[in-house]
Each structure stands twice: as structure tokens, then as C-alpha cells.
Amino acid sequence: AHWRYGDPPKVRFKAPSRRSRRAGYLHTGRSRPIHALEPDIAPYLDSLRACLPQFEVRSVHPILMGWASLVLEVNGEWIFRFPRWPEIEAQLRKEHALLPELARALPVAVPRYVYWWHGYPGCTWPFVGYRKIEGQPLDQADLRGAAGLALALELAQSLSALHRFPTERAAALQV
């Protein structure tokens, strides 16, 4: 069965353990840490295998089940994002056009889509896949002293470059 708009596969969640509840993993907000609610990722993996039969899936680590997407780390080196709603699929189409342009303009690593669900026969669930960008999540970084100053400088340079991106080019890309 192919995915239809407004008809995402049923996602079953496992209840969080007492240990994770005590550790404070449950929080309010639109997205929840994956360790708070464990999604059933089988329908997404089935779609990935149907679309990319040559791609060997050796390990899968769910990163996030947010309002917009399910994000999986595959084989420790790939990120696959599966949009949960049609409007998010439309956003991915815009990202597909915009990210290569931003990669040339920004001083930081930008995801480069290697796998895109269009053109693959048998795809039942839309997705994008790209090489994992190495780094440390900001919420785990030590922002004291010189490390914090270096991060602030890199962030300022990145934002400055982003603001210099030509708005007419973004409009041409329908962003």
C-alpha cells in the first residue's frame, strides 16, 4: 500500500520506563526526545528497503520523533528523515533545492541529500537521506570560556553569511 496524504502509517509507541520518567526525559512541547517515546520504525525501514534494495541497513538508531519528521541514524553514518505530514514533504522539496546553494554560501557543513525518494520504484513512504554531519549537539557542548567564544564567533559568521544569501535567489528557488 502506498502512502497517501493525511494517511501516515500507524506509529505505535512503547511507554517510557520508570527510569526514563525519573530522569526527566518526558517534557512538554511539540517534539519529544526519542528516548521518551519509542516509535515503531518498521514501516519506515520497510519503505527504505523497498526504495533502496542495494543499501544495506546494519544498524538503526532513532534520533527524533517530532511533530514534523521521524529521524533515523542508519549504520552510524547516514541520517534519514521521514516526513510525517504532506506539508513537511513540501518543505523537503524546498530544502532539496535550497541546501546545495546554501552549502556553497555558508562556512558550516550543510546536509547534502544523497538519497531522495523520487525516482525509486516501490517507495511507500517519502524520505531524504544524507551523510551524518559530525559534531556535538549544542545541548551537550561545554560553552564556558574559549569554547563558548569560538562557538559564538562561528554562529555569528554563519548567520552573517545566511543573511547575505541573495533573496532573489531564494525566491527563484521558491523558498
Side-chain angles (χ1 to χ4, degrees):
H2 289 287
W3 175 73
R4 296 178 315 239
Y5 287 115
D7 191 23
K10 303 295 182 225
V11 177
R12 295 180 303 277
F13 291 97
K14 299 175 191 172
S17 68
R18 284 185 199 174
R19 182 177 186 194
S20 66
R21 284 193 304 265
R22 278 196 310 268
Y25 290 137
L26 290 177
H27 60 84
T28 59
R30 293 183 113 169
S31 64
R32 298 170 188 245
I34 200 67
H35 42 277
L37 296 173
E38 296 279 334
D40 176 10
I41 61 173
Y44 301 96
L45 288 178
D46 290 345
S47 181
L48 187 63
R49 288 182 177 115
C51 295
L52 304 172
Q54 77 284 5
F55 186 87
E56 182 185 356
V57 176
R58 294 182 307 278
S59 66
V60 178
H61 173 69
I63 295 177
L64 176 72
M65 173 65 121
W67 179 86
S69 301
L70 170 70
V71 181
L72 302 175
E73 179 184 304
V74 179
N75 300 339
E77 61 184 307
W78 293 94
I79 299 295
F80 283 91
R81 290 175 41 212
F82 296 86
R84 298 185 63 216
W85 310 106
E87 56 271 18
I88 306 307
E89 178 184 343
Q91 279 183 282
L92 288 180
R93 291 176 193 276
K94 290 179 182 181
E95 286 180 21
H96 189 252
L98 179 63
L99 288 179
E101 302 275 337
L102 288 178
R104 289 189 289 274
L106 298 179
V108 293
V110 173
R112 295 178 188 266
Y113 291 172
V114 175
Y115 297 109
W116 176 255
W117 78 94
H118 287 289
Y120 294 111
C123 284
T124 56
W125 189 253
F127 67 87
V128 295
Y130 49 90
R131 290 224 176 254
K132 180 180 172 182
I133 296 174
E134 292 302 321
Q136 183 179 22
L138 188 58
D139 64 348
Q140 298 173 11
D142 181 9
L143 301 178
R144 296 173 289 186
L149 289 174
L151 178 62
L153 178 61
E154 184 177 1
L155 182 59
Q157 291 170 340
S158 299
L159 287 172
S160 178
L162 184 60
H163 284 279
R164 286 191 309 271
F165 189 79
T167 54
E168 58 278 354
R169 183 63 189 136
L173 294 168
Q174 299 180 346
V175 176

